Amino acid sequence: MRKFPFVVMNDFVRDKLTEWGLLEWIETFEEEGVDEESFYSLEDQEIAELIPKVGPRSRFKKRLKLLKKEQNTANPDTADAPAQVIPSPSGTSNEGKRKSDLQGESNQQQSPTKKKRLAKGPGAYSEEIIQADVENIMRCVLKKIPDQGNNLNDFLRRKIHDLKTDKREVVGVFGQTGAGKSSLINAVIGLKKFLPSGSISACTSVSIKVEANMQNSNYEAIIEFITKEEWRDELWFSINFRLEDEEDDSEYRDIDEKLSALYGEDWKEKSDLMDAKYFKEIPEFLLSKEKILTTDKAKDLPEKLIRYTRTKQDNAEDKGTKRWYWPLVKCVTIKVPNADLLKHVTLVDLPGSGDSNKSRDKIWKTVVGSCSTIWIVADINRAASDKEAWDILKDACSYMGNGGQCNQIHFICTKSDPHSDADDTSKAGIRDFILKRNQQAKAKVKQEFNQLNEVKKHFSNESFEHSFKIFTVSSVEFLNPKHLNKEQTEIPKLQEFLQELNDCHRETLNYVSGARGILSLIQGASHRGGSEIKKDVCTILEEKMTDELEKVHKQMEETYQAFEKCLSAGVEKSESHCERALESVINPRKPGGGFHKTLRCLVEHNGIQNAGRKKNKKKKKQINLNMALSSYLTESIDEKFKETFPNEVNCGPFNGKLNSFSLDTKRMKMNPEYKDVELQLEFLNAEEIKMKKKLVKIIRERKKTIYSSLMTTVEESMQKCYDDAKGIRGKHSLNNMRETMRKHVHDSKNIMFKNARKVMLNQLRELRDDILKDLKETMQESIELSLKTDGYSIPDVAEELNMVKNHYKGLKGSAEDDQ
């Protein structure tokens, strides 16, 4: 073992070993002369000699790693350096690590705006260490709980298991190829040249997620395929829809591009396109499994991934590639190691609209609906006039607004650094030119957005200014500053936003708060006596719960009646205007050539023709007959729905009545009269907070299904019509398909829309009943088990409770300091 110069052990090392539960090793560290500097530079072999036992050694190595990371964050100068965080006494560095970083594979930059939460002194803990500590405490407590089955023990075990939750925020990134999405993501997560231009956005149908790899230090791509049955259906449609004499048709071009990519240009001459020989390189597709690509070098992953995401085959590096598998890909998840900003955040590169493939279309709608933030990316030179960017917002607004959970829209103007038009070519002159153009671009984009009433209506007027933000960014200047400082590139603003969205502090605080509540219950249950006061408090709480549930029920009933009234008006309007809405889709004023193919495509895909490309490469707008027919119903409830189920994080559902539900345990805990049940009241307070958060999440998911039920029910009502129209062939097929659809809508309009209203109202009623049932049963069980059960076999956890309380105070203190 390397001998360190004799020094007297300072408080730093002693404090750390004490904090980490390694008191018995303090003497060993002192004998070996380990001070603060040498502490940071300990190598694996030296740690093994200092701490021979595997368990304590593993714990020490984990805490030391977290501590170095904490130190890294606290010292930006060392954080950006490609060598290890703390230099060794000899001044040497880890050359292997340095070489890797210089190649740009792990030199991720820490956000300059990242807030520092804790670590305010020699004995301070990082949040990751706190989380790890409390998790370890709860594992030990779990082992202490006796195995003999009784309600309280089973309840406690269940509560401990339920402590850990995985919060994940989704940021949807829209933008056409060439808008700069890859460069933007590279800059934001701090990886140079990780995603080369076009690597993730050249395919128009595959959704690609980018998130942190929390399991290992590899760069991974997880590829999920559509099913064999879905591909067989696509082949059937593609081959039967193809018309050889009209090869300029956009639908034909899309089909030809897709099949040529997978089977080659001569696909028309091949038979049995489902033959296994075409899928030899991707047996996962035939086995309905995911394909995982792994590399330890960042630059190697895009090269492996390219065949699964790219549509174009004219790049030099693509020569020799015979098969392109993107037509079979449903979605791709890219996992990046050491990406702190993505620990609880997923960036998703999304196509501009849904897809003809059912799986990809479902993925698109689900992901858009799960986005809390949308990034619209466009080149600054045409941002305000980029019709495709604005069409994306229009097409997706119902899925991300009332039908989703989006509360932020960011319009990101990229490539703000070009300055060839600048009159003053000095550094200051170029900087002023860029910043002035940025302000002009922001003004134009905001002016354009203010005209999008269809999008704005999904956000409350009060939160509109907060909901829509414009950024003008330069990835080039951020990574290689010449004329702008990093703040002026506005990339740090996006990093700060992601850091706040990530909010690891909130996750740690929630976990520690829940652990404190459970330990309070265990410690309270281990105390004997106080039966009379427990009985009195139990009665008070049960009466309070009845009153509070009645308030929530009353508000929900008023909401239900309001929806009933809105929907009745919507049904009346739908019955009067549905045939006009039908004609606008099946017989437009300017149908264009080959409209019979457009209509056939629409019925083949159950009322939807997804966006494609015209011959001039301009995007065609999606046609959705189901949405057109249900539009009067959705319009009738849009305002009430937004008010009842707001996406804004500071607003609660049902006019905030659920959030205001309270058993008042926090106030009771302060009353000396209830001193003997103080710990039980602490648990009930924590349980109430946790339960309300859980219900808000449930409501957020259920409301998406409720909102989409109107269009879904209309689509189901139209299904027979679509099936009948699919079988129409030959002369006059266009008129015959139209007549079939006209007759069906005319005959069913008096039933179809009333049924849609009934389905939505039933779902609202079920949501109301489920919320009240869950709230009552969960809190009733918690009250009974904490106040009506004697814990004769419950262990004493006073020491553990005290430790967790201290952690909780530290976290609460840091949260208050940040306010």
Side-chain angles (χ1 to χ4, degrees):
M1 177 174 176
R2 171 165 49 120
K3 291 293 182 180
F4 300 99
F6 179 77
V7 292
V8 177
M9 177 187 282
N10 61 15
D11 288 341
F12 173 83
V13 178
R14 187 178 291 104
D15 286 345
K16 287 301 168 193
L17 292 175
T18 302
E19 289 170 12
W20 299 350
L22 300 166
L23 287 167
E24 61 187 294
W25 309 106
I26 289 177
E27 186 177 342
T28 305
F29 275 66
E30 190 167 20
E31 287 175 355
E32 294 296 334
V34 180
D35 62 1
E36 181 173 353
E37 184 179 22
S38 55
F39 186 82
Y40 278 106
S41 66
L42 287 171
E43 296 176 359
D44 286 349
Q45 181 60 36
E46 293 164 343
I47 294 172
E49 293 178 21
L50 284 164
I51 308 176
K53 289 186 179 180
V54 174
R57 182 168 72 246
S58 177
R59 186 158 74 249
F60 176 86
K61 289 172 72 173
K62 179 179 179 181
R63 301 301 168 82
L64 181 60
K65 181 180 177 182
L66 291 172
L67 182 63
K68 287 183 178 182
K69 191 175 181 182
E70 186 74 25
Q71 188 75 9
N72 195 334
T73 305
N75 298 283
D77 292 338
T78 58
D80 289 337
Q84 62 186 51
V85 178
I86 302 296
S88 66
S90 61
T92 60
S93 63
N94 187 328
E95 292 300 326
K97 174 68 174 169
R98 180 182 293 274
K99 182 177 180 181
S100 171
D101 287 342
L102 289 174
Q103 289 172 342
E105 286 151 17
S106 60
N107 61 334
Q108 298 176 29
Q109 300 181 32
Q110 190 72 42
S111 167
T113 52
K114 182 176 180 179
K115 292 183 180 179
K116 193 77 185 85
R117 296 279 189 181
L118 297 173
K120 297 179 182 178
Y125 291 89
S126 77
E127 289 175 10
E128 286 180 274
I129 289 178
I130 286 177
Q131 179 94 12
D133 256 353
V134 178
E135 285 180 13
N136 188 55
I137 288 170
M138 298 311 290
R139 278 193 294 269
C140 294
V141 169
L142 188 61
K143 292 177 182 177
K144 285 185 177 183
I145 297 174
D147 289 332
Q148 63 259 35
N150 68 52
N151 289 341
L152 181 56
N153 287 348
D154 293 343
F155 177 77
L156 290 171
R157 276 192 287 269
R158 190 173 78 242
K159 290 298 176 183
I160 292 174
H161 283 304
D162 291 345
L163 270 176
K164 195 71 180 284
T165 58
D166 180 31
K167 168 205 172 189
R168 185 145 296 276
E169 298 286 347
V170 181
V171 177
V173 186
F174 289 100
Q176 58 184 309
T177 302
K181 288 187 290 183
S182 298
S183 298
L184 174 67
I185 292 173
N186 285 342
V188 167
I189 66 176
L191 277 172
K192 295 181 180 181
K193 299 180 181 179
F194 173 52
L195 298 172
S197 179
S199 66
I200 65 165
S201 59
C203 179
T204 59
S205 58
V206 178
S207 298
I208 302 182
K209 304 174 184 178
V210 182
E211 57 188 41
N213 186 349
M214 304 299 292
Q215 283 71 47
N216 54 60
S217 58
N218 291 327
Y219 297 86
E220 295 180 352
I222 302 169
I223 301 164
E224 187 176 350
F225 297 100
I226 63 175
T227 65
K228 289 180 292 184
E229 293 72 23
E230 287 171 332
W231 182 240
R232 187 179 287 111
D233 290 344
E234 278 201 49
L235 283 175
W236 182 91
F237 171 75
S238 299
I239 292 169
N240 284 277
F241 186 83
R242 177 172 55 90
L243 295 175
E244 306 250 2
D245 57 341
E246 294 188 50
E247 296 192 7
D248 64 334
D249 176 72
S250 64
E251 191 73 31
Y252 178 89
R253 286 195 304 275
D254 288 345
I255 291 170
D256 186 64
E257 179 185 30
K258 184 185 297 183
L259 298 185
S260 295
L262 186 57
Y263 298 106
E265 298 291 336
D266 58 343
W267 64 269
K268 303 181 193 71
E269 282 75 52
K270 295 179 179 178
S271 59
D272 191 9
L273 296 179
M274 287 300 297
D275 193 304
K277 67 182 180 183
Y278 297 116
F279 313 106
K280 286 189 296 184
E281 293 181 328
I282 48 168
E284 296 88 352
F285 167 69
L286 296 175
L287 297 171
S288 299
K289 292 182 177 180
E290 295 174 339
K291 186 176 185 70
I292 301 177
L293 306 176
T294 304
T295 176
D296 59 351
K297 296 180 180 179
K299 63 183 180 64
D300 292 343
L301 189 62
E303 294 175 10
K304 292 184 175 185
L305 187 59
I306 198 171
R307 300 173 70 186
Y308 302 91
T309 60
R310 181 169 285 176
T311 59
K312 295 184 179 181
Q313 308 173 25
D314 53 2
N315 297 303
E317 67 267 26
D318 301 341
K319 289 182 179 179
T321 302
K322 294 180 179 179
R323 298 198 190 283
W324 300 79
Y325 295 118
W326 61 265
L328 303 175
V329 177
K330 180 161 64 174
C331 66
V332 175
T333 301
I334 296 175
K335 290 184 173 287
V336 183
N338 305 316
D340 286 352
L341 286 177
L342 302 182
K343 186 175 288 185
H344 296 293
V345 175
T346 298
L347 299 177
V348 189
D349 177 66
L350 285 159
S353 60
D355 190 81
S356 58
N357 174 269
K358 289 182 180 179
S359 284
R360 282 195 291 260
D361 190 58
K362 185 177 181 181
I363 284 276
W364 185 88
K365 290 175 180 175
T366 301
V367 172
V368 173
S370 67
C371 290
S372 60
T373 304
I374 294 291
W375 285 1
I376 304 293
V377 182
D379 189 312
I380 192 170
N381 290 317
R382 54 178 182 271
S385 59
D386 190 342
K387 187 176 184 299
E388 186 163 327
W390 298 112
D391 283 345
I392 287 171
L393 269 177
K394 294 174 187 175
D395 292 343
C397 66
S398 64
Y399 297 106
M400 66 187 188
N402 277 341
Q405 61 188 69
C406 178
N407 54 65
Q408 296 260 6
I409 298 175
H410 294 170
F411 199 104
I412 302 175
C413 306
T414 58
K415 306 178 184 179
S416 68
D417 50 276
H419 52 269
S420 57
D421 294 337
D423 295 328
D424 183 352
T425 56
S426 67
K427 182 176 180 178
I430 291 172
R431 182 198 63 215
D432 292 343
F433 171 82
I434 292 172
L435 295 179
K436 181 179 180 181
R437 183 182 55 194
N438 289 352
Q439 291 304 313
Q440 291 171 342
K442 288 182 178 182
K444 289 178 181 177
V445 168
K446 187 160 188 177
Q447 184 179 8
E448 190 70 25
F449 184 81
N450 284 333
Q451 299 174 29
L452 298 182
N453 294 325
E454 183 65 22
V455 178
K456 288 170 61 180
K457 74 178 184 179
H458 288 277
F459 297 88
S460 64
N461 293 330
E462 295 80 9
S463 66
F464 173 67
E465 288 298 322
H466 176 69
S467 300
F468 183 70
K469 294 178 182 177
I470 307 163
F471 298 87
T472 50
V473 306
S474 170
S475 304
V476 172
E477 284 283 339
F478 176 75
L479 296 171
N480 299 290
K482 289 184 179 179
H483 305 104
L484 304 177
N485 61 43
K486 288 194 173 186
E487 290 296 328
Q488 289 168 334
T489 70
E490 299 200 0
I491 294 289
K493 290 183 180 179
L494 294 176
Q495 291 178 322
E496 181 178 10
F497 169 76
L498 289 181
Q499 182 60 41
E500 291 174 354
L501 200 61
N502 206 41
D503 200 0
C504 295
H505 177 78
R506 177 56 55 186
E507 287 301 290
T508 303
L509 183 60
N510 287 342
Y511 185 91
V512 175
S513 174
R516 184 184 65 150
I518 294 169
L519 292 173
S520 295
L521 173 58
I522 295 173
Q523 191 61 18
S526 69
H527 293 163
R528 309 292 182 261
S531 58
E532 285 302 316
I533 192 65
K534 287 181 180 178
K535 183 178 179 181
D536 291 344
V537 169
C538 193
T539 301
I540 292 170
L541 292 177
E542 286 174 342
E543 290 175 355
K544 179 69 173 175
M545 183 170 68
T546 300
D547 292 342
E548 291 294 297
L549 286 172
E550 182 56 36
K551 292 177 185 177
V552 176
H553 179 272
K554 182 179 178 182
Q555 179 60 50
M556 289 181 171
E557 185 59 32
E558 290 174 0
T559 299
Y560 179 87
Q561 291 173 5
F563 272 109
E564 194 172 29
K565 184 178 179 180
C566 292
L567 285 167
S568 295
V571 167
E572 186 177 336
K573 194 168 183 180
S574 296
E575 291 173 349
S576 302
H577 296 81
C578 62
E579 287 167 293
R580 187 189 306 168
L582 174 68
E583 289 300 315
S584 69
V585 174
I586 69 172
N587 193 22
R589 291 182 180 180
K590 296 180 181 180
F595 185 73
H596 66 286
K597 289 188 297 179
T598 298
L599 194 58
R600 179 163 300 285
C601 183
L602 183 139
V603 299
E604 289 286 352
H605 294 107
N606 301 324
I608 302 171
Q609 190 206 30
N610 279 296
R613 295 281 171 182
K614 298 179 183 179
K615 191 173 182 180
N616 60 6
K617 300 295 184 182
K618 289 185 178 180
K619 187 179 175 183
K620 286 168 52 179
K621 190 173 177 62
Q622 184 192 66
I623 301 172
N624 191 329
L625 177 56
N626 306 313
M627 184 178 287
L629 290 173
S630 60
S631 61
Y632 298 108
L633 279 172
T634 54
E635 287 171 5
S636 72
I637 54 101
D638 268 338
E639 280 300 317
K640 187 63 184 176
F641 205 92
K642 179 176 65 178
E643 174 191 316
T644 305
F645 304 107
N647 287 346
E648 288 74 20
V649 293
N650 59 337
C651 302
F654 298 102
N655 293 336
K657 285 297 179 184
L658 183 61
N659 284 352
S660 65
F661 174 93
S662 176
L663 297 183
D664 216 11
T665 51
K666 194 171 183 180
R667 182 188 60 81
M668 290 177 69
K669 187 167 71 79
M670 306 301 292
N671 190 333
E673 184 181 348
Y674 305 122
K675 181 70 176 175
D676 290 343
V677 289
E678 178 184 358
L679 292 171
Q680 287 91 334
L681 292 172
E682 182 71 59
F683 163 73
L684 289 171
N685 182 58
E687 191 68 4
E688 178 189 302
I689 292 170
K690 185 177 180 180
M691 185 61 194
K692 287 191 289 187
K693 287 179 179 177
K694 176 186 171 184
L695 287 176
V696 167
K697 289 180 180 178
I698 290 172
I699 292 169
R700 189 178 64 188
E701 292 305 312
R702 292 271 292 271
K703 72 112 171 179
K704 300 172 189 176
T705 305
I706 293 170
Y707 186 77
S708 65
S709 68
L710 295 174
M711 187 169 68
T712 301
T713 308
V714 167
E715 181 178 342
E716 291 169 355
S717 300
M718 291 290 291
Q719 191 59 56
K720 185 179 184 304
C721 162
Y722 298 140
D723 291 340
D724 292 344
K726 288 173 188 177
I728 297 173
R729 291 287 187 277
K731 193 176 181 180
H732 307 306
S733 60
L734 175 60
N735 285 333
N736 290 339
M737 283 191 290
R738 283 172 172 161
E739 286 304 315
T740 298
M741 299 170 84
R742 286 168 180 151
K743 184 177 186 308
H744 182 87
V745 170
H746 178 78
D747 292 348
S748 63
K749 66 180 181 181
N750 292 327
I751 300 172
M752 178 164 56
F753 301 112
K754 289 184 177 70
N755 190 40
R757 175 187 64 185
K758 180 181 177 182
V759 169
M760 175 173 269
L761 289 174
N762 283 344
Q763 290 186 4
L764 282 166
R765 189 184 301 112
E766 288 169 3
L767 176 63
R768 177 197 67 192
D769 294 345
D770 288 347
I771 289 170
L772 293 171
K773 181 173 180 284
D774 286 353
L775 195 54
K776 181 178 180 180
E777 289 182 355
T778 300
M779 296 312 301
Q780 185 67 48
E781 180 186 36
S782 298
I783 291 170
E784 289 181 356
L785 288 172
S786 58
L787 294 168
K788 292 184 179 180
T789 306
D790 290 323
Y792 292 109
S793 60
I794 295 297
D796 185 283
V797 292
E799 184 179 351
E800 291 90 341
L801 177 58
N802 188 52
M803 290 169 65
V804 171
K805 278 184 174 180
N806 287 335
H807 281 319
Y808 181 77
K809 288 176 184 176
L811 288 166
K812 288 290 285 185
S814 71
E816 290 164 4
D817 290 344
D818 284 338
Q819 291 173 357

